[in-house]
Amino acid sequence: MERDGEKTRKFDGVDQRFAVATHAMCVLAVRGQAVSSAQFISENISVSAIIIKRVMRPIVLAGYVEAVVGAVGGYRLIRDPEEINLWQLLEAIQGSGPFSKRFGMPQSNCDEGRAIDRVVYDLYSSLDAMIEERLRAVSLASILQSAMSLLPPPE
């Protein structure tokens, strides 16, 4: 990305798997108790079935989705969409907030460096706390409801 002739780095603190997971979970929520194959989900959100399988693994382990094996296998939501919030998905996918995973400055040999390290750590912690609070307030059901309100009325 370039701004005023200066190269800048885009903030990439939230893993792209989180966006894929959120979208995939919404697909499952719309489908109710129906089993959806990785291929079906991938075609709906324009990513490969392999990515869907990789993204769904930690969500299955977290207990939000059931993996059904066999010829007609796939994934099925096992919790109500109202009970699943975006923080839970982020935790399942990344294990922590976007800032805490970025912290890790080299050990400083001076008092000023250690003080700066502490200030940055506290800042990152407070940012993650704000993100957690906001994401906990957003359920899959509320995402679907908001998305439906953006669709044009049926003819």
Side-chain angles (χ1 to χ4, degrees), residues 5-17:
E6 175 185 321
K7 286 193 177 197
T8 60
R9 286 188 58 210
K10 183 180 142 210
F11 173 72
D12 58 356
V14 175
D15 196 309
Q16 287 184 342
R17 294 175 304 160

Side-chain angles (χ1 to χ4, degrees), residues 72-136:
V72 291
Y75 303 96
R76 174 178 33 225
L77 204 59
I78 57 175
R79 301 252 314 263
D80 188 295
E82 196 65 55
E83 297 173 4
I84 303 171
N85 64 56
L86 294 186
W87 179 255
Q88 292 166 317
L89 288 182
L90 184 68
E91 268 192 318
I93 296 296
Q94 291 188 191
S96 66
F99 286 95
S100 59
K101 75 177 194 165
R102 299 194 118 12
F103 187 75
M105 296 177 67
Q107 194 67 21
S108 180
N109 291 327
C110 67
D111 290 339
E112 292 85 0
R114 284 189 291 277
I116 291 168
D117 190 47
R118 182 60 200 198
V119 169
V120 170
Y121 176 81
D122 290 346
L123 174 64
Y124 282 4
S125 296
S126 67
L127 288 170
D128 271 341
M130 290 172 24
I131 291 168
E132 178 179 353
E133 180 182 351
R134 179 65 181 113
L135 292 181
R136 280 190 185 279

